[in-house]
Amino acid sequence: MPSSDSVLKTSEETYEYICTSCAEDDLIKEAVKYCVECQRYCCQDCINIHRRIPVTKDHSFLDNSSVKSQGQSRSLPAIPTKQCSKHVGMIMYMYCKNHDVVCCYTCAVEDHRSCQDMVSVSDNIDQLYRQTDTSKTSSDIDRGIDDMNGEKNNTDALLQQLRDSKEAAIKTANDFRIEMEQLLRKLEEASVNEIENEYKKLETQLLDNKKKYGDLIDDLKNLKQLLVQASGNIAQQFVCSKLAQQYINTMDTGNISSSNIRYAEVLFRPCDELKTSIESKTKLGTTSAMLSRYDDLYKVTKTCKMAVQSWGDRFDCSITGSCIIDDTVLFTDSSNNKLMRYDILSSSLIDYCSTPRDPRGTCRVGDKEVAVACESVVQFLSVEDKLALSRSLEMKHESYGIAYSNDKLYITDQAKSLYMYDMSGNILKTVTSDNSGQPLFKCSNHVTFNDKKDRLFVGDDKKGLVCFNAECDYIETITDPDVRPDGVCVDSYGNVIIANYHSSTILQCGRDGQKLGVIVNEANCPNHPRSVCIHTRLQRMFVSSCGNTVWVYHLCGK
């Protein structure tokens, strides 16, 4: 039964304030105080219960006389309820117009003594709330959460790249050790230890950053929750909004931001002089760990020439296409109608296979299969053991460049078209012009995808680098006069490497296709290069042209 000082809701007795909790149980009891944290009116019985429960015993209560009536006794009062984070138990009920911040009385005394425009939030809430865009604050919080989630996801990707590069660096060290046999065993251990140590340093830095992103996200979510909970209490909304804006404005991610870092890696670079001075060395090579921007330019440390003409070839080679398969490189020879496979480290021929007439571009289409554009045929070959012909697709046009992604083939005709096929040979799309009807190509050459498979690049040695999305929708053409590619490829970081046919140069472009700089100038490049491919982990770049040699460039990292 209700106590003597309470009545059922049907009673005619009224109070200026009623207990919120009792009213929910169909009881009308006079509220004597207001709980700041719960944002509820409380009768004396409910106050006593508050005092006995550990999680609520320290809640702050306001007398009814401190509550400004809003006309409806059961409505939330227009008073701030947020406690100051600096001064325990102090309510942030003051607003400094000079600094546009809310604060408690102690903050006002300590930090805003000289400020002329200090006002009470409760006394001026109608005017202050009209001047505050709560919805904008909510949007800013959402945007901050999205930004931090983006930073966190980018850091996850960097951590994965770091792990992959660590494994790649260790494998490079192991491959180099094989040549040196027993003398290299102790040196290998030292190098692997250094890789692990450098990896750990960088991993710790990234994990710390990731935790900071998580903490920032949690803080923003808490601010968002406070803003939602304050619905109906315009004063609390104002305070929460100002606190959120203050937090967002002072949130500093500059020292931990990963958005300007393209990748994280540990690099291991073998020492070329090691064979002649092995006894004086303490490690297999040099190890470095870095957070590098994606637009760092490759540098050439050594240039070699690889002989590719085989015994029995009727003509001089014309290497028009190439691609990387694991630690090997494939070359198409359009003069002798064959596909050749070479070991990258030893530059030795592994095997070769005859192809249909005039093989040009080639690309990987699976773990153990490649496709070769051969005149008006796309020829598939197995690369599991020996190179071996498998199925083929007939084209109704010339085939030159070829790329693969998501069970689709992208083929150029070295003329004015780009075609998208399914793996059964059905044409899904033909692209010749932009949205205004203007021709996109004069000579559509080799084609490649970026590392994320969401942008397709087609080299045109007369118009530039033509860019599409994965559905062959035209994006833009890079018309820089220095960008006139025949051959194009992409490294594992998304950099586009182009072989300029007319200027005989090799350029590096960013993942958006914009020029970053020259890797190989005309004096150190084969004449009229036709194809280029790069092995990022082994840091080897292969550039081919007409003739019996392929130029091999040893690169140093970025």
Side-chain angles (χ1 to χ4, degrees):
M1 294 182 61
S3 60
S4 59
D5 60 343
S6 65
V7 295
L8 295 175
K9 279 191 175 182
T10 56
S11 172
E12 295 181 356
E13 188 173 0
T14 61
Y15 302 107
E16 181 178 5
Y17 296 98
I18 63 172
C19 178
T20 307
S21 298
C22 292
E24 292 172 352
D25 292 332
D26 292 331
L27 297 176
I28 303 297
K29 298 178 66 175
E30 183 178 12
V32 295
K33 290 184 182 294
Y34 177 78
C35 178
V36 172
E37 284 78 10
C38 295
Q39 298 186 27
R40 298 166 75 89
Y41 293 99
C42 297
C43 64
Q44 189 59 52
D45 291 339
C46 290
I47 293 173
N48 295 336
I49 294 173
H50 259 66
R51 299 303 190 195
R52 291 197 296 268
I53 300 175
V55 295
T56 61
K57 67 178 184 179
D58 294 325
H59 282 195
S60 301
F61 288 94
L62 299 177
D63 293 331
N64 286 343
S65 59
S66 302
V67 178
K68 181 180 178 180
S69 176
Q70 301 297 304
Q72 295 294 328
S73 61
R74 297 180 189 177
S75 298
L76 292 177
I79 58 173
T81 60
K82 178 67 177 176
Q83 291 192 15
C84 179
S85 60
K86 291 173 58 178
H87 305 103
V88 179
M90 300 295 292
I91 302 300
M92 303 180 75
Y93 70 95
M94 301 294 292
Y95 173 57
C96 176
K97 292 184 178 181
N98 300 96
H99 295 98
D100 191 27
V101 296
V102 290
C103 61
C104 70
Y105 176 78
T106 305
C107 288
V109 172
E110 293 179 351
D111 303 327
H112 303 274
R113 183 184 298 273
S114 61
C115 296
Q116 299 299 314
D117 291 326
M118 290 292 297
V119 298
S120 166
V121 172
S122 298
D123 294 341
N124 298 271
I125 187 56
D126 291 336
Q127 177 185 3
L128 295 174
Y129 188 79
R130 285 196 298 270
Q131 298 172 352
T132 302
D133 187 353
T134 305
S135 62
K136 180 180 182 301
T137 300
S138 180
S139 298
D140 289 344
I141 292 175
D142 290 336
R143 186 161 49 252
I145 292 173
D146 289 341
D147 290 345
M148 290 304 100
N149 277 323
E151 294 283 2
K152 185 171 177 288
N153 292 337
N154 191 44
T155 303
D156 284 334
L158 291 171
L159 283 166
Q160 185 58 50
Q161 287 182 345
L162 181 62
R163 297 182 189 105
D164 292 343
S165 67
K166 182 198 75 168
E167 297 303 322
I170 293 174
K171 186 177 187 304
T172 301
N174 292 340
D175 289 342
F176 196 62
R177 175 192 58 80
I178 291 174
E179 297 182 42
M180 309 308 294
E181 297 294 343
Q182 298 296 328
L183 289 176
L184 299 181
R185 291 187 183 278
K186 292 182 179 180
L187 302 182
E188 181 198 13
E189 181 179 357
S191 294
V192 170
N193 286 339
E194 186 179 56
I195 291 170
E196 293 285 0
N197 290 337
E198 292 299 319
Y199 164 80
K200 190 63 180 179
K201 293 177 185 177
L202 215 55
E203 181 193 45
T204 299
Q205 177 184 341
L206 290 172
L207 288 173
D208 288 344
N209 287 354
K210 180 179 178 180
K211 183 179 182 303
K212 291 176 183 176
Y213 297 141
D215 292 342
L216 289 172
I217 291 170
D218 290 339
D219 290 344
L220 290 170
K221 287 182 176 179
N222 289 335
L223 289 172
K224 176 73 174 183
Q225 184 63 30
L226 289 174
L227 201 60
V228 172
Q229 291 175 349
S231 176
N233 181 347
I234 58 177
Q236 178 64 357
Q237 282 186 316
F238 172 81
V239 171
C240 292
S241 174
K242 286 301 177 180
L243 288 173
Q245 285 288 358
Q246 182 181 357
Y247 186 88
I248 293 170
N249 293 337
T250 58
M251 185 171 61
D252 182 16
T253 61
N255 294 330
I256 64 173
S257 176
S258 63
S259 60
N260 64 340
I261 300 172
R262 182 62 190 91
Y263 59 91
E265 64 176 357
V266 179
L267 295 177
F268 179 86
R269 301 185 185 89
C271 175
D272 290 333
E273 294 81 21
L274 187 59
K275 290 183 180 180
T276 58
S277 60
I278 189 168
E279 291 183 349
S280 64
K281 303 295 180 180
T282 59
K283 297 175 294 185
L284 286 179
T286 59
T287 301
S288 61
M290 65 190 75
L291 298 175
S292 302
R293 296 172 59 90
Y294 76 91
D295 54 0
D296 291 341
L297 193 65
Y298 283 111
K299 295 181 180 179
V300 176
T301 60
K302 182 179 179 181
T303 303
C304 307
K305 294 181 181 180
M306 177 192 299
V308 291
Q309 189 175 37
S310 303
W311 181 86
D313 285 345
R314 295 179 59 191
F315 308 102
D316 285 343
C317 296
S318 179
I319 309 300
T320 52
S322 58
C323 74
I324 300 295
I325 302 292
D326 301 325
D327 288 348
T328 68
V329 56
L330 302 181
F331 299 113
T332 59
D333 181 358
S334 59
S335 294
N336 297 288
N337 298 326
K338 66 179 181 178
L339 179 70
M340 302 174 287
R341 177 165 56 175
Y342 281 79
D343 179 80
I344 289 179
L345 290 177
S346 65
S347 298
S348 58
L349 177 67
I350 298 174
D351 59 347
Y352 66 90
C353 180
S354 296
T355 65
R357 182 178 175 180
D358 202 6
R360 295 144 173 188
T362 180
C363 69
R364 189 171 195 162
V365 296
D367 290 339
K368 302 297 181 181
E369 190 176 39
V370 297
V372 180
C374 303
E375 204 169 68
S376 59
V377 173
V378 172
Q379 179 66 56
F380 295 90
L381 296 94
S382 170
V383 294
E384 185 169 6
D385 294 315
K386 290 286 186 179
L387 292 175
L389 299 178
S390 55
R391 62 193 179 98
S392 62
L393 299 175
E394 295 289 337
M395 306 285 111
K396 295 182 179 180
H397 55 80
E398 289 288 313
S399 301
Y400 186 78
I402 187 169
Y404 168 83
S405 177
N406 196 27
D407 287 333
K408 296 182 182 67
L409 292 172
Y410 301 80
I411 301 171
T412 61
D413 59 3
Q414 205 180 18
K416 297 184 178 182
S417 301
L418 166 67
Y419 304 89
M420 181 169 66
Y421 282 84
D422 64 21
M423 295 301 286
S424 298
N426 301 307
I427 294 182
L428 303 178
K429 196 169 188 178
T430 301
V431 182
T432 58
S433 58
D434 60 19
N435 294 334
S436 64
Q438 295 299 311
L440 286 173
F441 308 106
K442 286 188 177 179
C443 187
S444 55
N445 295 316
H446 286 293
V447 58
T448 188
F449 268 98
N450 69 357
D451 57 324
K452 294 186 176 180
K453 302 295 184 182
D454 60 2
R455 181 169 282 214
L456 183 73
F457 299 97
V458 179
D460 188 320
D461 60 274
K462 295 179 175 60
K463 297 194 71 171
L465 188 63
V466 190
C467 309
F468 302 85
N469 64 18
E471 297 303 319
C472 284
D473 298 321
Y474 174 68
I475 299 176
E476 64 176 335
T477 299
I478 308 301
T479 58
D480 189 308
D482 292 335
V483 179
R484 292 293 183 268
D486 184 341
V488 293
C489 71
V490 174
D491 68 8
S492 61
Y493 309 123
N495 295 288
V496 185
I497 312 300
I498 68 172
N500 283 320
Y501 180 80
H502 298 289
S503 63
S504 297
T505 55
I506 308 300
L507 265 63
Q508 179 178 332
C509 300
R511 65 185 329 273
D512 57 357
Q514 298 295 331
K515 181 183 72 174
L516 298 179
V518 177
I519 302 176
V520 181
N521 58 27
E522 184 178 4
N524 299 296
C525 185
N527 193 34
H528 299 314
R530 304 295 299 275
S531 77
V532 60
C533 62
I534 186 170
H535 195 300
T536 307
R537 176 172 57 82
L538 296 180
Q539 298 197 319
R540 299 288 192 275
M541 182 173 67
F542 302 86
V543 179
S544 64
S545 182
C546 293
N548 298 323
T549 57
V550 171
W551 292 50
V552 183
Y553 299 92
H554 295 229
L555 304 174
C556 84
K558 320 207 0 146

